[in-house]
Amino acid sequence: MVVEIAECALDRNYDAFGCLFGLRNLANFRPLAADRGLPSDACELARARHAECDGDRETWIDWAQLRAVNWDEPAEGLDDRVYEYRRTRDGLEYVGKSTHSPRLARVLGIGGLVKGGDYPPGTEWAVDDRVFRVERMRRREAVPPDGRWGRVWAEMARAARSCGDDGVRLLVWFDA
């Protein structure tokens, strides 16, 4: 017996999508389960939900594969985005990451896009109260265990107690 957990409306967490499925993979992970399509034996309910969501890029991963993941594994390459931090009395506070920072582009004397992978790892620029860094993500940062994917993992683990780790799979699709 295979229990399928089908989702067509997970939060738009592109770091997680890149890490898990290779979609919009700006952090440059080796995807765990990219472009597998729908399983040929997917249940009718999953096929019906897929048809409702009009997804055009499908894949899946089973609980056994997820349990085997080294969540501390770094991405294969540097993140294409540059990380931005604000200096506070207590240290650095994470602001966000982007390939477009007008403030940093001005300092570097370039127009518009600043791609993290164009610089050596650890490159850092201090601009006013901001610090910009080139970084490499780890899987755990892309898919934090206490984040919103935690409820999906909990449901898969619960189902695996009855069906076994390879008897539970997550089907996903995107309108990429």
Side-chain angles (χ1 to χ4, degrees):
M1 176 164 95
V2 173
V3 174
E4 294 172 335
I5 299 172
E7 285 295 332
C8 65
L10 288 170
D11 291 340
R12 293 191 184 272
N13 178 336
Y14 293 116
D15 285 332
F17 294 168
C19 171
L20 297 168
F21 311 116
L23 186 79
R24 296 191 185 175
N25 193 2
L26 294 175
N28 291 300
F29 284 103
R30 177 188 50 79
L32 299 175
D35 300 320
R36 293 179 169 177
L38 283 181
S40 60
D41 63 343
C43 71
E44 286 305 312
L45 177 60
R47 290 186 181 285
R49 291 200 56 203
H50 174 260
E52 290 171 12
C53 292
D54 196 30
D56 63 359
R57 188 165 175 194
E58 307 84 4
T59 195
W60 60 274
I61 190 167
D62 69 31
W63 184 237
Q65 292 167 310
L66 285 165
R67 284 183 45 108
V69 171
N70 172 4
W71 294 102
D72 291 318
E73 178 184 7
E76 290 182 318
L78 294 173
D79 199 319
D80 286 341
R81 298 153 299 179
V82 174
Y83 291 60
E84 181 177 349
Y85 299 88
R86 179 182 8 251
R87 291 185 195 276
T88 70
R89 286 186 211 142
D90 300 323
L92 295 178
E93 176 183 88
Y94 176 74
V95 173
K97 55 192 164 197
S98 175
T99 57
H100 183 70
S101 170
R103 181 184 279 181
L104 181 56
R106 267 192 315 275
V107 168
L108 296 175
I110 60 176
L113 296 180
V114 180
K115 186 175 176 188
D118 290 344
Y119 299 90
T123 299
E124 183 173 291
W125 302 272
V127 182
D128 303 323
D129 68 333
R130 303 299 168 113
V131 173
F132 297 90
R133 284 189 188 145
V134 174
E135 298 188 12
R136 180 184 313 263
M137 286 189 88
R138 296 190 178 280
R139 290 193 187 280
R140 182 176 313 287
E141 295 164 328
V143 189
D146 57 349
R148 301 197 106 187
W149 284 84
R151 70 178 191 261
V152 176
W153 302 160
E155 183 64 23
M156 291 181 79
R158 185 195 61 73
R161 287 193 287 276
S162 304
C163 302
D165 289 353
D166 58 355
V168 178
R169 62 186 171 202
L170 173 68
L171 309 181
V172 295
W173 45 85
F174 305 93
D175 58 357

